[in-house]
Amino acid sequence: MTGALASSADMPVVIRRLWKSFGSNEVLKGISLSVERGEVVAIIGPSGSGKSTLLQCINFMEPFDEGDVLIDGRPIGLIHSTGGIRRRMSERDLNKLRREIGIVFQQYNLFPHLTVLANIIEAPVHVLGLPRAEAIERARFQLRKVGLHGKEDAFPGELSGGQQQRVAIARALAMQPKVMLFDEVTSALDPELVGEVLASMRLLAEEGMTMIVVTHEMAFAREVADRVIFMDGGMIVESGDPREFFSNPQHERSKAFLKRLLSHGDDTQDAA
């Protein structure tokens, strides 16, 4: 789906003309993007191109300056009031919408003093008001899904980096979000641990989870994503089918980016 200005409520995420600056530095320059239900979108591009900022604007962790983000047809962050003036929505309404958006970062952000199980049930119990027994059942289900059954009583410090990241994924899934955002979730891992995290993400994709994935794992983008978006300079430069993009990029900036990857030994053909 490439119709940037779609507004259907069946679109879990619609971004319209999004602008974001840090001081005089324009990080996002009029980004428009729609994501279909069940679609996996991989966002790639050089460092500093605005990829992570875009993800953080989707759930308004990073307030944007102009534009709109719609989650299931509902605006998040800034809403129009009388007279066309926009205001920040209430924290209560904002947090309700954020519950529908799971986000996993490069850093695991687990509570070190809590067990794996306690980390996962924390938000379902205290934010959703889920009964503890139901939250535990949900947590155990998600741990099995990410291959960590039996680790419920371990503490984060007793786990490998890949295991901690999978706990972070299970924690996000326990909130039963409609959309999952992944921000370079493998970049802090040792190479031998990357595969176990990507395997969990592949499973989510196969199950139909709507996912927006900022990644430097080109094989994953080619193999798993329904669409690849190449960002540079705060703009979407190119968007399309992953195999077409990697085999025949249309824009000169895309070609230069892939050429640099290949020159550093990243073989996107491995994902064929």
Side-chain angles (χ1 to χ4, degrees), residues 44-111:
I44 65 173
S47 298
S49 58
K51 307 183 301 294
S52 293
T53 300
L54 176 60
L55 278 198
Q56 292 176 36
C57 285
I58 290 174
N59 74 345
F60 212 64
M61 286 182 60
E62 192 61 67
F64 43 86
D65 303 323
E66 297 179 33
D68 298 284
V69 175
L70 307 179
I71 304 299
D72 265 353
R74 292 168 291 172
I76 188 170
L78 300 178
I79 57 177
H80 294 276
S81 56
T82 306
I85 299 174
R86 299 215 302 177
R87 60 177 176 82
R88 182 184 174 107
M89 69 193 316
S90 70
E91 288 302 309
R92 179 179 179 180
D93 289 342
L94 181 57
N95 287 332
K96 282 183 179 179
L97 276 176
R98 282 176 172 161
R99 294 173 192 173
E100 300 183 5
I101 310 168
I103 185 165
V104 183
F105 298 98
Q106 176 179 334
Q107 301 302 322
Y108 325 123
N109 298 323
L110 301 176
F111 296 113

Short mmCIF file of all heavy atoms in Angstrom, two decimals, residues 44-111:
data_model
loop_
_atom_site.label_atom_id
_atom_site.label_comp_id
_atom_site.label_asym_id
_atom_site.label_seq_id
_atom_site.Cartn_x
_atom_site.Cartn_y
_atom_site.Cartn_z
N ILE A 44 14.48 1.70 6.15
CA ILE A 44 15.94 1.65 6.13
C ILE A 44 16.47 3.01 5.69
O ILE A 44 15.73 3.86 5.19
CB ILE A 44 16.46 0.54 5.19
CG1 ILE A 44 16.08 0.85 3.73
CG2 ILE A 44 15.90 -0.82 5.60
CD1 ILE A 44 16.70 -0.12 2.73
N GLY A 45 17.77 3.19 5.87
CA GLY A 45 18.39 4.44 5.46
C GLY A 45 19.59 4.74 6.33
O GLY A 45 19.82 4.08 7.34
N PRO A 46 20.39 5.73 5.94
CA PRO A 46 21.59 6.06 6.70
C PRO A 46 21.27 6.65 8.06
O PRO A 46 20.14 7.10 8.31
CB PRO A 46 22.28 7.09 5.80
CG PRO A 46 21.18 7.70 5.00
CD PRO A 46 20.20 6.59 4.76
N SER A 47 22.25 6.65 8.94
CA SER A 47 22.09 7.26 10.26
C SER A 47 21.74 8.73 10.10
O SER A 47 22.28 9.41 9.22
CB SER A 47 23.37 7.11 11.07
OG SER A 47 23.67 5.75 11.30
N GLY A 48 20.83 9.21 10.95
CA GLY A 48 20.46 10.61 10.90
C GLY A 48 19.41 10.95 9.87
O GLY A 48 19.10 12.13 9.65
N SER A 49 18.80 9.93 9.26
CA SER A 49 17.80 10.20 8.22
C SER A 49 16.40 10.43 8.77
O SER A 49 15.49 10.76 8.02
CB SER A 49 17.78 9.05 7.20
OG SER A 49 17.48 7.82 7.84
N GLY A 50 16.22 10.25 10.08
CA GLY A 50 14.92 10.51 10.70
C GLY A 50 14.10 9.28 11.00
O GLY A 50 12.94 9.39 11.43
N LYS A 51 14.67 8.09 10.81
CA LYS A 51 13.90 6.85 10.96
C LYS A 51 13.37 6.67 12.38
O LYS A 51 12.18 6.43 12.59
CB LYS A 51 14.78 5.65 10.57
CG LYS A 51 15.43 5.74 9.21
CD LYS A 51 16.22 4.50 8.86
CE LYS A 51 17.34 4.16 9.84
NZ LYS A 51 18.41 5.18 9.83
N SER A 52 14.25 6.76 13.36
CA SER A 52 13.83 6.55 14.75
C SER A 52 12.91 7.67 15.22
O SER A 52 11.95 7.41 15.98
CB SER A 52 15.07 6.48 15.66
OG SER A 52 15.82 5.30 15.38
N THR A 53 13.16 8.88 14.79
CA THR A 53 12.29 9.99 15.16
C THR A 53 10.88 9.75 14.63
O THR A 53 9.89 10.01 15.32
CB THR A 53 12.84 11.32 14.62
OG1 THR A 53 14.13 11.55 15.17
CG2 THR A 53 11.92 12.48 14.98
N LEU A 54 10.77 9.23 13.42
CA LEU A 54 9.46 8.93 12.85
C LEU A 54 8.71 7.93 13.71
O LEU A 54 7.53 8.12 14.01
CB LEU A 54 9.63 8.39 11.43
CG LEU A 54 8.35 7.94 10.72
CD1 LEU A 54 7.37 9.09 10.60
CD2 LEU A 54 8.67 7.35 9.35
N LEU A 55 9.39 6.87 14.15
CA LEU A 55 8.72 5.88 15.00
C LEU A 55 8.23 6.52 16.29
O LEU A 55 7.11 6.26 16.75
CB LEU A 55 9.69 4.74 15.35
CG LEU A 55 9.90 3.61 14.35
CD1 LEU A 55 10.52 2.42 15.05
CD2 LEU A 55 8.63 3.20 13.65
N GLN A 56 9.05 7.36 16.90
CA GLN A 56 8.68 7.97 18.17
C GLN A 56 7.56 8.99 18.02
O GLN A 56 6.82 9.25 18.97
CB GLN A 56 9.91 8.60 18.81
CG GLN A 56 10.94 7.56 19.25
CD GLN A 56 12.21 8.17 19.79
OE1 GLN A 56 12.17 9.21 20.45
NE2 GLN A 56 13.34 7.54 19.52
N CYS A 57 7.41 9.55 16.81
CA CYS A 57 6.29 10.46 16.56
C CYS A 57 4.98 9.69 16.41
O CYS A 57 3.90 10.23 16.70
CB CYS A 57 6.55 11.28 15.29
SG CYS A 57 7.75 12.62 15.48
N ILE A 58 5.07 8.43 15.97
CA ILE A 58 3.85 7.66 15.75
C ILE A 58 3.06 7.48 17.04
O ILE A 58 1.83 7.54 17.03
CB ILE A 58 4.18 6.29 15.11
CG1 ILE A 58 4.65 6.51 13.65
CG2 ILE A 58 2.98 5.35 15.14
CD1 ILE A 58 5.13 5.25 12.97
N ASN A 59 3.75 7.27 18.17
CA ASN A 59 3.01 7.17 19.43
C ASN A 59 3.18 8.43 20.29
O ASN A 59 2.87 8.43 21.47
CB ASN A 59 3.40 5.91 20.20
CG ASN A 59 4.76 6.01 20.84
OD1 ASN A 59 5.56 6.89 20.50
ND2 ASN A 59 5.05 5.12 21.77
N PHE A 60 3.67 9.49 19.66
CA PHE A 60 3.80 10.81 20.28
C PHE A 60 4.75 10.81 21.48
O PHE A 60 4.68 11.66 22.35
CB PHE A 60 2.43 11.36 20.70
CG PHE A 60 2.34 12.87 20.61
CD1 PHE A 60 2.45 13.52 19.39
CD2 PHE A 60 2.16 13.63 21.75
CE1 PHE A 60 2.38 14.91 19.31
CE2 PHE A 60 2.08 15.03 21.68
CZ PHE A 60 2.20 15.66 20.45
N MET A 61 5.66 9.84 21.50
CA MET A 61 6.76 9.94 22.47
C MET A 61 7.61 11.17 22.15
O MET A 61 8.15 11.81 23.04
CB MET A 61 7.64 8.69 22.41
CG MET A 61 7.03 7.47 23.03
SD MET A 61 8.16 6.06 22.95
CE MET A 61 9.54 6.68 23.88
N GLU A 62 7.70 11.45 20.86
CA GLU A 62 8.37 12.67 20.38
C GLU A 62 7.29 13.53 19.73
O GLU A 62 6.79 13.22 18.66
CB GLU A 62 9.45 12.32 19.36
CG GLU A 62 10.39 13.47 19.03
CD GLU A 62 11.15 13.97 20.23
OE1 GLU A 62 12.00 13.23 20.76
OE2 GLU A 62 10.88 15.12 20.64
N PRO A 63 6.87 14.62 20.37
CA PRO A 63 5.82 15.47 19.79
C PRO A 63 6.27 16.05 18.45
O PRO A 63 7.40 16.53 18.32
CB PRO A 63 5.63 16.58 20.83
CG PRO A 63 6.12 15.98 22.12
CD PRO A 63 7.26 15.08 21.72
N PHE A 64 5.42 15.98 17.45
CA PHE A 64 5.75 16.53 16.14
C PHE A 64 5.25 17.97 16.04
O PHE A 64 4.40 18.41 16.83
CB PHE A 64 5.20 15.66 15.02
CG PHE A 64 3.79 15.17 15.22
CD1 PHE A 64 2.71 15.94 14.85
CD2 PHE A 64 3.55 13.92 15.80
CE1 PHE A 64 1.41 15.49 15.04
CE2 PHE A 64 2.26 13.46 15.99
CZ PHE A 64 1.19 14.26 15.60
N ASP A 65 5.76 18.68 15.05
CA ASP A 65 5.44 20.10 14.90
C ASP A 65 4.21 20.34 14.03
O ASP A 65 3.36 21.16 14.34
CB ASP A 65 6.64 20.85 14.30
CG ASP A 65 7.90 20.68 15.12
OD1 ASP A 65 7.79 20.65 16.37
OD2 ASP A 65 9.00 20.56 14.54
N GLU A 66 4.14 19.63 12.92
CA GLU A 66 3.03 19.79 11.99
C GLU A 66 2.66 18.42 11.44
O GLU A 66 3.45 17.48 11.46
CB GLU A 66 3.41 20.70 10.82
CG GLU A 66 3.75 22.12 11.22
CD GLU A 66 4.13 22.96 10.00
OE1 GLU A 66 3.57 22.72 8.91
OE2 GLU A 66 5.01 23.83 10.14
N GLY A 67 1.43 18.34 10.92
CA GLY A 67 0.96 17.10 10.33
C GLY A 67 0.05 16.33 11.26
O GLY A 67 -0.35 16.81 12.32
N ASP A 68 -0.29 15.11 10.85
CA ASP A 68 -1.21 14.28 11.61
C ASP A 68 -0.72 12.84 11.63
O ASP A 68 -0.14 12.35 10.65
CB ASP A 68 -2.61 14.29 10.98
CG ASP A 68 -3.23 15.67 10.97
OD1 ASP A 68 -3.68 16.12 12.04
OD2 ASP A 68 -3.25 16.30 9.89
N VAL A 69 -0.98 12.17 12.74
CA VAL A 69 -0.80 10.72 12.84
C VAL A 69 -2.13 10.15 13.31
O VAL A 69 -2.67 10.58 14.34
CB VAL A 69 0.32 10.33 13.82
CG1 VAL A 69 0.38 8.81 13.97
CG2 VAL A 69 1.66 10.88 13.37
N LEU A 70 -2.68 9.22 12.55
CA LEU A 70 -3.94 8.58 12.90
C LEU A 70 -3.69 7.12 13.24
O LEU A 70 -3.01 6.41 12.50
CB LEU A 70 -4.93 8.66 11.74
CG LEU A 70 -5.22 10.04 11.14
CD1 LEU A 70 -6.22 9.91 9.99
CD2 LEU A 70 -5.74 11.00 12.19
N ILE A 71 -4.23 6.70 14.38
CA ILE A 71 -4.16 5.30 14.80
C ILE A 71 -5.58 4.74 14.74
O ILE A 71 -6.47 5.18 15.48
CB ILE A 71 -3.60 5.17 16.23
CG1 ILE A 71 -2.23 5.85 16.34
CG2 ILE A 71 -3.52 3.70 16.63
CD1 ILE A 71 -1.16 5.27 15.45
N ASP A 72 -5.80 3.81 13.80
CA ASP A 72 -7.15 3.29 13.56
C ASP A 72 -8.15 4.43 13.31
O ASP A 72 -9.27 4.40 13.82
CB ASP A 72 -7.61 2.42 14.73
CG ASP A 72 -7.33 0.94 14.46
OD1 ASP A 72 -6.91 0.60 13.34
OD2 ASP A 72 -7.54 0.13 15.38
N GLY A 73 -7.72 5.43 12.57
CA GLY A 73 -8.59 6.53 12.20
C GLY A 73 -8.70 7.63 13.23
O GLY A 73 -9.36 8.65 12.99
N ARG A 74 -8.04 7.47 14.38
CA ARG A 74 -8.12 8.47 15.45
C ARG A 74 -6.80 9.23 15.56
O ARG A 74 -5.73 8.63 15.63
CB ARG A 74 -8.44 7.79 16.78
CG ARG A 74 -9.83 7.18 16.84
CD ARG A 74 -9.98 6.29 18.05
NE ARG A 74 -9.16 5.08 17.91
CZ ARG A 74 -8.97 4.19 18.88
NH1 ARG A 74 -9.51 4.39 20.07
NH2 ARG A 74 -8.24 3.12 18.67
N PRO A 75 -6.85 10.56 15.60
CA PRO A 75 -5.61 11.34 15.71
C PRO A 75 -4.95 11.14 17.06
O PRO A 75 -5.63 11.04 18.09
CB PRO A 75 -6.09 12.79 15.53
CG PRO A 75 -7.52 12.77 15.94
CD PRO A 75 -8.05 11.43 15.55
N ILE A 76 -3.64 11.07 17.05
CA ILE A 76 -2.89 10.94 18.29
C ILE A 76 -2.01 12.17 18.47
O ILE A 76 -1.46 12.71 17.51
CB ILE A 76 -2.02 9.66 18.30
CG1 ILE A 76 -1.39 9.44 19.68
CG2 ILE A 76 -0.96 9.68 17.21
CD1 ILE A 76 -0.72 8.09 19.85
N GLY A 77 -1.92 12.63 19.70
CA GLY A 77 -1.02 13.74 20.02
C GLY A 77 -1.67 15.09 19.92
O GLY A 77 -2.02 15.71 20.92
N LEU A 78 -1.84 15.57 18.68
CA LEU A 78 -2.43 16.88 18.44
C LEU A 78 -3.80 16.72 17.82
O LEU A 78 -3.98 15.96 16.87
CB LEU A 78 -1.53 17.71 17.51
CG LEU A 78 -0.11 17.98 18.01
CD1 LEU A 78 0.68 18.76 16.97
CD2 LEU A 78 -0.14 18.75 19.33
N ILE A 79 -4.78 17.42 18.36
CA ILE A 79 -6.14 17.33 17.85
C ILE A 79 -6.67 18.73 17.55
O ILE A 79 -6.22 19.72 18.14
CB ILE A 79 -7.09 16.62 18.84
CG1 ILE A 79 -7.08 17.32 20.20
CG2 ILE A 79 -6.69 15.16 18.99
CD1 ILE A 79 -8.05 16.71 21.20
N HIS A 80 -7.60 18.81 16.62
CA HIS A 80 -8.20 20.08 16.23
C HIS A 80 -9.32 20.45 17.20
O HIS A 80 -10.15 19.63 17.54
CB HIS A 80 -8.74 20.00 14.80
CG HIS A 80 -7.68 19.83 13.77
ND1 HIS A 80 -6.97 20.88 13.24
CD2 HIS A 80 -7.17 18.72 13.19
CE1 HIS A 80 -6.09 20.43 12.36
NE2 HIS A 80 -6.19 19.11 12.32
N SER A 81 -9.31 21.69 17.62
CA SER A 81 -10.38 22.19 18.48
C SER A 81 -11.11 23.32 17.76
O SER A 81 -10.87 23.58 16.58
CB SER A 81 -9.81 22.68 19.82
OG SER A 81 -8.80 23.66 19.60
N THR A 82 -12.00 23.98 18.45
CA THR A 82 -12.80 25.04 17.85
C THR A 82 -11.93 26.11 17.21
O THR A 82 -10.93 26.55 17.79
CB THR A 82 -13.70 25.69 18.92
OG1 THR A 82 -14.46 24.67 19.57
CG2 THR A 82 -14.63 26.71 18.29
N GLY A 83 -12.30 26.51 15.99
CA GLY A 83 -11.55 27.54 15.30
C GLY A 83 -10.35 27.03 14.54
O GLY A 83 -9.56 27.82 14.02
N GLY A 84 -10.21 25.71 14.47
CA GLY A 84 -9.11 25.14 13.72
C GLY A 84 -7.78 25.15 14.44
O GLY A 84 -6.75 24.76 13.88
N ILE A 85 -7.78 25.59 15.69
CA ILE A 85 -6.54 25.61 16.48
C ILE A 85 -6.27 24.20 17.01
O ILE A 85 -7.19 23.52 17.49
CB ILE A 85 -6.67 26.61 17.64
CG1 ILE A 85 -6.89 28.01 17.10
CG2 ILE A 85 -5.42 26.57 18.52
CD1 ILE A 85 -7.18 29.04 18.18
N ARG A 86 -5.04 23.80 16.94
CA ARG A 86 -4.69 22.46 17.42
C ARG A 86 -4.16 22.51 18.84
O ARG A 86 -3.47 23.46 19.23
CB ARG A 86 -3.64 21.82 16.50
CG ARG A 86 -4.15 21.65 15.08
CD ARG A 86 -3.63 20.42 14.43
NE ARG A 86 -2.18 20.35 14.39
CZ ARG A 86 -1.52 19.30 13.91
NH1 ARG A 86 -2.17 18.25 13.47
NH2 ARG A 86 -0.21 19.29 13.88
N ARG A 87 -4.50 21.51 19.60
CA ARG A 87 -4.01 21.43 20.97
C ARG A 87 -3.57 20.00 21.26
O ARG A 87 -3.99 19.07 20.58
CB ARG A 87 -5.09 21.85 21.96
CG ARG A 87 -6.34 20.98 21.90
CD ARG A 87 -7.37 21.39 22.94
NE ARG A 87 -8.60 20.63 22.82
CZ ARG A 87 -8.78 19.41 23.31
NH1 ARG A 87 -7.79 18.80 23.98
NH2 ARG A 87 -9.94 18.77 23.17
N ARG A 88 -2.75 19.87 22.28
CA ARG A 88 -2.30 18.54 22.70
C ARG A 88 -3.45 17.84 23.39
O ARG A 88 -4.14 18.42 24.24
CB ARG A 88 -1.10 18.67 23.64
CG ARG A 88 -0.52 17.32 24.09
CD ARG A 88 0.59 17.54 25.10
NE ARG A 88 1.06 16.28 25.65
CZ ARG A 88 2.23 15.72 25.35
NH1 ARG A 88 3.06 16.32 24.51
NH2 ARG A 88 2.59 14.57 25.90
N MET A 89 -3.69 16.61 23.02
CA MET A 89 -4.76 15.84 23.64
C MET A 89 -4.41 15.55 25.10
O MET A 89 -3.24 15.62 25.51
CB MET A 89 -5.03 14.55 22.87
CG MET A 89 -3.94 13.51 22.94
SD MET A 89 -4.15 12.17 21.69
CE MET A 89 -5.89 11.79 21.79
N SER A 90 -5.39 15.23 25.89
CA SER A 90 -5.16 14.95 27.30
C SER A 90 -4.28 13.72 27.46
O SER A 90 -4.27 12.83 26.60
CB SER A 90 -6.50 14.73 28.02
OG SER A 90 -7.08 13.50 27.62
N GLU A 91 -3.52 13.68 28.55
CA GLU A 91 -2.64 12.53 28.80
C GLU A 91 -3.45 11.25 28.93
O GLU A 91 -3.00 10.18 28.51
CB GLU A 91 -1.82 12.77 30.08
CG GLU A 91 -0.73 13.81 29.93
CD GLU A 91 0.25 13.46 28.83
OE1 GLU A 91 0.77 12.32 28.83
OE2 GLU A 91 0.48 14.31 27.96
N ARG A 92 -4.66 11.36 29.46
CA ARG A 92 -5.50 10.18 29.60
C ARG A 92 -5.86 9.60 28.23
O ARG A 92 -5.73 8.39 28.00
CB ARG A 92 -6.77 10.53 30.36
CG ARG A 92 -7.73 9.36 30.54
CD ARG A 92 -8.97 9.78 31.32
NE ARG A 92 -9.90 8.66 31.48
CZ ARG A 92 -11.05 8.75 32.12
NH1 ARG A 92 -11.41 9.89 32.67
NH2 ARG A 92 -11.83 7.69 32.22
N ASP A 93 -6.29 10.48 27.31
CA ASP A 93 -6.64 10.01 25.97
C ASP A 93 -5.41 9.54 25.21
O ASP A 93 -5.47 8.57 24.44
CB ASP A 93 -7.34 11.13 25.19
CG ASP A 93 -8.74 11.41 25.72
OD1 ASP A 93 -9.29 10.55 26.44
OD2 ASP A 93 -9.27 12.50 25.43
N LEU A 94 -4.30 10.23 25.40
CA LEU A 94 -3.06 9.86 24.74
C LEU A 94 -2.61 8.47 25.19
O LEU A 94 -2.24 7.62 24.36
CB LEU A 94 -1.97 10.90 25.04
CG LEU A 94 -0.60 10.69 24.40
CD1 LEU A 94 -0.70 10.60 22.89
CD2 LEU A 94 0.34 11.83 24.80
N ASN A 95 -2.68 8.23 26.48
CA ASN A 95 -2.24 6.92 26.99
C ASN A 95 -3.16 5.80 26.53
O ASN A 95 -2.71 4.66 26.32
CB ASN A 95 -2.16 6.96 28.51
CG ASN A 95 -0.98 7.77 29.01
OD1 ASN A 95 0.04 7.88 28.32
ND2 ASN A 95 -1.10 8.38 30.18
N LYS A 96 -4.45 6.10 26.33
CA LYS A 96 -5.36 5.08 25.81
C LYS A 96 -4.95 4.65 24.41
O LYS A 96 -4.95 3.46 24.08
CB LYS A 96 -6.79 5.62 25.79
CG LYS A 96 -7.48 5.63 27.14
CD LYS A 96 -8.92 6.12 26.98
CE LYS A 96 -9.64 6.12 28.33
NZ LYS A 96 -11.04 6.62 28.19
N LEU A 97 -4.59 5.62 23.58
CA LEU A 97 -4.16 5.29 22.22
C LEU A 97 -2.81 4.59 22.23
O LEU A 97 -2.56 3.69 21.43
CB LEU A 97 -4.09 6.56 21.38
CG LEU A 97 -5.40 7.02 20.74
CD1 LEU A 97 -5.21 8.35 20.03
CD2 LEU A 97 -5.93 5.98 19.77
N ARG A 98 -1.94 5.00 23.12
CA ARG A 98 -0.61 4.37 23.18
C ARG A 98 -0.68 2.89 23.54
O ARG A 98 0.20 2.12 23.19
CB ARG A 98 0.27 5.10 24.20
CG ARG A 98 0.85 6.42 23.68
CD ARG A 98 1.60 7.13 24.76
NE ARG A 98 2.32 8.29 24.25
CZ ARG A 98 2.75 9.29 25.00
NH1 ARG A 98 2.51 9.27 26.32
NH2 ARG A 98 3.40 10.30 24.47
N ARG A 99 -1.73 2.49 24.23
CA ARG A 99 -1.88 1.08 24.58
C ARG A 99 -2.01 0.21 23.33
O ARG A 99 -1.74 -0.99 23.38
CB ARG A 99 -3.13 0.88 25.45
CG ARG A 99 -3.05 1.54 26.81
CD ARG A 99 -4.39 1.43 27.52
NE ARG A 99 -4.44 2.28 28.70
CZ ARG A 99 -5.52 2.49 29.43
NH1 ARG A 99 -6.66 1.88 29.10
NH2 ARG A 99 -5.48 3.28 30.49
N GLU A 100 -2.44 0.81 22.24
CA GLU A 100 -2.64 0.04 21.01
C GLU A 100 -1.37 -0.03 20.17
O GLU A 100 -1.37 -0.64 19.11
CB GLU A 100 -3.78 0.68 20.20
CG GLU A 100 -5.10 0.68 20.97
CD GLU A 100 -6.23 1.24 20.15
OE1 GLU A 100 -6.02 1.53 18.95
OE2 GLU A 100 -7.35 1.37 20.69
N ILE A 101 -0.29 0.61 20.66
CA ILE A 101 0.96 0.67 19.90
C ILE A 101 2.07 0.08 20.76
O ILE A 101 2.49 0.69 21.75
CB ILE A 101 1.32 2.12 19.52
CG1 ILE A 101 0.13 2.83 18.88
CG2 ILE A 101 2.53 2.15 18.60
CD1 ILE A 101 0.32 4.33 18.75
N GLY A 102 2.54 -1.10 20.42
CA GLY A 102 3.69 -1.66 21.11
C GLY A 102 4.97 -1.14 20.48
O GLY A 102 5.05 -0.99 19.26
N ILE A 103 5.96 -0.84 21.30
CA ILE A 103 7.22 -0.36 20.76
C ILE A 103 8.37 -1.03 21.49
O ILE A 103 8.36 -1.16 22.72
CB ILE A 103 7.32 1.18 20.83
CG1 ILE A 103 8.59 1.69 20.15
CG2 ILE A 103 7.18 1.70 22.25
CD1 ILE A 103 8.60 3.18 19.86
N VAL A 104 9.35 -1.48 20.71
CA VAL A 104 10.54 -2.14 21.26
C VAL A 104 11.76 -1.39 20.74
O VAL A 104 11.88 -1.15 19.53
CB VAL A 104 10.61 -3.62 20.85
CG1 VAL A 104 11.82 -4.30 21.51
CG2 VAL A 104 9.32 -4.34 21.23
N PHE A 105 12.63 -1.03 21.66
CA PHE A 105 13.79 -0.20 21.32
C PHE A 105 15.07 -1.04 21.24
O PHE A 105 15.10 -2.22 21.57
CB PHE A 105 13.98 0.89 22.38
CG PHE A 105 12.84 1.85 22.49
CD1 PHE A 105 11.87 1.69 23.47
CD2 PHE A 105 12.72 2.92 21.61
CE1 PHE A 105 10.81 2.57 23.58
CE2 PHE A 105 11.67 3.81 21.71
CZ PHE A 105 10.71 3.63 22.69
N GLN A 106 16.13 -0.37 20.84
CA GLN A 106 17.45 -0.99 20.82
C GLN A 106 17.84 -1.44 22.23
O GLN A 106 18.37 -2.54 22.43
CB GLN A 106 18.47 0.01 20.28
CG GLN A 106 19.91 -0.49 20.30
CD GLN A 106 20.87 0.55 19.73
OE1 GLN A 106 20.48 1.39 18.92
NE2 GLN A 106 22.10 0.50 20.15
N GLN A 107 17.58 -0.59 23.23
CA GLN A 107 17.82 -0.95 24.62
C GLN A 107 16.59 -1.65 25.17
O GLN A 107 15.46 -1.27 24.88
CB GLN A 107 18.15 0.31 25.44
CG GLN A 107 19.36 1.09 24.93
CD GLN A 107 20.62 0.24 24.91
OE1 GLN A 107 20.85 -0.58 25.81
NE2 GLN A 107 21.46 0.44 23.90
N TYR A 108 16.80 -2.65 26.01
CA TYR A 108 15.70 -3.52 26.44
C TYR A 108 14.76 -2.82 27.41
O TYR A 108 13.57 -3.09 27.44
CB TYR A 108 16.25 -4.79 27.06
CG TYR A 108 17.53 -5.28 26.43
CD1 TYR A 108 18.69 -5.48 27.18
CD2 TYR A 108 17.60 -5.51 25.05
CE1 TYR A 108 19.87 -5.92 26.59
CE2 TYR A 108 18.77 -5.94 24.46
CZ TYR A 108 19.90 -6.13 25.23
OH TYR A 108 21.07 -6.55 24.64
N ASN A 109 15.29 -1.94 28.26
CA ASN A 109 14.48 -1.17 29.22
C ASN A 109 13.67 -2.06 30.16
O ASN A 109 12.54 -1.72 30.53
CB ASN A 109 13.54 -0.20 28.47
CG ASN A 109 14.29 0.83 27.66
OD1 ASN A 109 15.34 1.32 28.08
ND2 ASN A 109 13.79 1.17 26.49
N LEU A 110 14.24 -3.20 30.53
CA LEU A 110 13.58 -4.06 31.51
C LEU A 110 13.91 -3.57 32.92
O LEU A 110 14.98 -2.99 33.16
CB LEU A 110 14.04 -5.50 31.35
CG LEU A 110 13.79 -6.16 29.99
CD1 LEU A 110 14.39 -7.55 29.96
CD2 LEU A 110 12.30 -6.20 29.66
N PHE A 111 13.00 -3.82 33.86
CA PHE A 111 13.28 -3.49 35.26
C PHE A 111 14.23 -4.55 35.82
O PHE A 111 13.85 -5.72 35.93
CB PHE A 111 11.99 -3.46 36.07
CG PHE A 111 11.03 -2.38 35.65
CD1 PHE A 111 9.81 -2.71 35.08
CD2 PHE A 111 11.34 -1.04 35.82
CE1 PHE A 111 8.92 -1.72 34.69
CE2 PHE A 111 10.46 -0.04 35.44
CZ PHE A 111 9.26 -0.38 34.87
#
